[in-house]
Amino acid sequence: MRTEFLPFSRPAITEGDIAAVSEVLRSGWITTGEKTAQFEARFAEYVGCARAIALGSATGGMHLALRALGIGPGHEVITPSMTWVSTVNLIVLCGATPVFADIDPDTLMVTSEAMERCISPRTRLMVPVHFAGAALALGALYDLAAHHNIPVVEDAAHALGTHSEGNRVGGQGTSIFSFHPIKNITTGEGGMFCTDDEALAARINRLKFHGLGVDAYDRKTQGRAPQAQVVEPGFKYNMTDMAAALGVGQLARVDGLNEKRAELAEVYLQRLSGVDEVFPLSVSPATTRHAWHLFVVRIDTDRAKMSRDAFMERLKERNIGTGLHFRAVHLQKYYREVMGTERGMLPHTEWNSDRICSLPLFPDMTVEDVEDVVAAVKDVLSH
Ligand SMILES: *Cc1c(COP(=O)(O)O)cnc(C)c1O
């Protein structure tokens, strides 16, 4: 058994990253400034979008998107329940109604057929989620959206470096990335709003900083233009230069980091192929490049004769950390009590919500670490 605890994720921070942040700290300008502008430019170039706007989190980006699209009472937003809670919370906080589309049981992603069944005259937005580093089939989704004239915001928190049907995620339409410490690159906390819609970008840029229509930084004044005025009330979701300095370095390494994830995932797939009680997700056919954000398995709870929670607990006793991405949003306390959502509404989501578990996967892991995880999994299942 491992003597040292293996977390399920750990950010890949180099001495160069530390030096870059230190340099910002010594520079006299630590909030939104030149580093943020550089990170935005390089990110836009990497994903191939017209405009990239750096933010304090992806959650903040979703808030701004809902606001900019005028989502409010009487409106419906279609999204999966198999997602992080932030999107659904914000839909509710905007006064709108989330409508949950069920997922494909083996990729955990919504299909355009499931999205279509949720469309009503009140639908104002669709928020599909790229899952675990694999890709949604965007062609069919955008066709559906165009046919019904409904905007799409892709939740690309798991999909930095992912290609869908030959195109890099983020390169078309509107998408939001996250730089939370477990994501493929990190800025501590952070997010990026990407779009090819210039008018939307201008609105998001304004809303992210008090509605002033300027950044925190103006090159000419070496600070915020003091004469700036509120164009519309906005929020405070700008990224700091300390975070952006980390992002610039991380982004330059993202392909190598993802490569490492892919190699480790391959080892997992080989070593777990003979373990009948756990089965990994299948990779959607749309995924022409996988970013391997997470390595998710499902526990066959009948065969294993234990619950997923017990499985996670027993791995922890063996010094193996795990994650849960995600517990279905519609089964969480608030949504059950206030929206009246219940079991039976979304069979594929619920089946997976009870059985999924994310095994450790991060670029600085070794093949030996993967073998330790697999050995612990087999031991827990008493092979
Ligand atoms: C992490 C995550 C988010 C939120 O990102 P933050 O930067 O933490 O706000 C949103 N959606 C999904 C699917 C995520 O995994």
Side-chain angles (χ1 to χ4, degrees), residues 56-62 82-87 129-131 155-158 177-180 182-183 189-191 293-294 325-326:
S57 69
T59 302
M62 191 58 68
M82 177 54 69
T83 187
W84 180 230
V85 294
S86 56
T87 304
V129 181
H130 295 280
F131 209 92
D155 182 334
H158 296 185
F177 293 84
S178 169
F179 311 125
H180 175 273
I182 77 159
K183 304 295 155 78
E189 295 283 359
H293 167 55
L294 298 170
H325 307 92
F326 299 98

Side-chain angles (χ1 to χ4, degrees), residues 26 72 92 95 110 140 159-160 181 190 194 218 245 267 301 307 314 340 363-364 378:
R26 290 196 181 94
V92 169
V110 290
L160 182 57
C194 294
D218 182 290
V267 178
T301 47
S307 69
R314 285 175 203 173
D364 293 336
K378 288 182 175 170

Side-chain angles (χ1 to χ4, degrees), residues 15-298:
E15 288 304 320
D17 289 337
I18 294 168
V21 177
S22 302
E23 198 184 307
V24 171
L25 286 169
R26 290 196 181 94
S27 74
W29 188 273
I30 62 178
T31 186
T32 313
E34 278 177 349
K35 276 288 160 200
T36 304
Q38 188 182 33
F39 185 36
E40 289 175 337
R42 295 202 180 160
F43 200 91
E45 194 185 333
Y46 180 81
V47 301
C49 64
R51 292 286 309 274
I53 299 170
L55 303 167
S57 69
T59 302
M62 191 58 68
H63 191 189
L64 299 179
L66 293 167
R67 183 84 186 180
L69 294 167
I71 309 293
H75 298 158
E76 293 176 356
V77 179
I78 306 173
T79 194
S81 168
M82 177 54 69
T83 187
W84 180 230
V85 294
S86 56
T87 304
V88 185
N89 284 344
L90 285 166
I91 293 167
V92 169
L93 285 167
C94 287
T97 305
V99 175
F100 298 115
D102 207 359
I103 49 172
D104 175 282
D106 292 312
T107 66
L108 309 193
M109 287 187 275
V110 290
T111 58
S112 52
E113 293 76 22
M115 292 294 254
E116 185 162 28
R117 282 194 291 276
C118 295
I119 292 174
S120 88
R122 290 175 300 282
T123 308
R124 290 295 179 280
L125 175 66
M126 300 197 277
V127 185
V129 181
H130 295 280
F131 209 92
L136 288 155
L138 291 177
L141 265 174
Y142 277 97
D143 285 348
L144 175 71
H147 182 71
H148 293 273
N149 197 22
I150 299 169
V152 174
V153 174
E154 295 168 41
D155 182 334
H158 296 185
L160 182 57
T162 301
H163 288 203
S164 169
E165 297 166 339
N167 303 308
R168 186 160 278 168
V169 170
Q172 62 166 341
T174 298
S175 52
I176 301 175
F177 293 84
S178 169
F179 311 125
H180 175 273
I182 77 159
K183 304 295 155 78
N184 291 46
I185 70 167
T186 189
T187 59
E189 295 283 359
M192 192 71 80
F193 186 96
C194 294
T195 187
D196 52 16
D197 179 338
E198 290 288 347
L200 180 61
R203 187 92 193 276
I204 296 292
N205 212 33
R206 188 155 84 216
L207 285 170
K208 78 152 197 249
F209 194 71
H210 308 295
L212 287 171
V214 296
D215 274 336
Y217 185 77
D218 182 290
R219 266 181 197 73
K220 289 187 227 78
T221 53
Q222 298 287 304
R224 180 169 60 76
Q227 54 279 76
Q229 296 187 37
V230 175
V231 182
E232 66 175 316
F235 302 92
K236 184 73 196 304
Y237 288 156
N238 53 308
M239 177 178 277
T240 69
D241 263 20
M242 292 182 287
L246 193 47
V248 168
Q250 295 256 312
L251 182 65
R253 299 202 305 282
V254 66
D255 288 339
L257 295 173
N258 285 355
E259 193 67 40
K260 193 70 202 303
R261 288 174 176 274
E263 285 167 21
L264 296 166
E266 195 51 47
V267 178
Y268 265 130
L269 288 169
Q270 282 168 10
R271 303 287 197 276
L272 288 172
S273 64
V275 184
D276 294 338
E277 298 92 336
V278 300
F279 38 112
L281 300 183
S282 35
V283 175
S284 63
T287 310
T288 45
R289 188 148 140 201
H290 201 312
W292 286 106
H293 167 55
L294 298 170
F295 193 86
V296 177
V297 294
R298 284 78 56 80

Side-chain angles (χ1 to χ4, degrees), residues 301 306-312 324 327 353-356:
T301 47
M306 75 179 76
S307 69
R308 181 269 320 280
D309 291 357
F311 178 78
M312 288 172 73
L324 205 182
R327 197 181 288 283
S353 177
D354 293 340
R355 290 170 182 79
I356 43 179

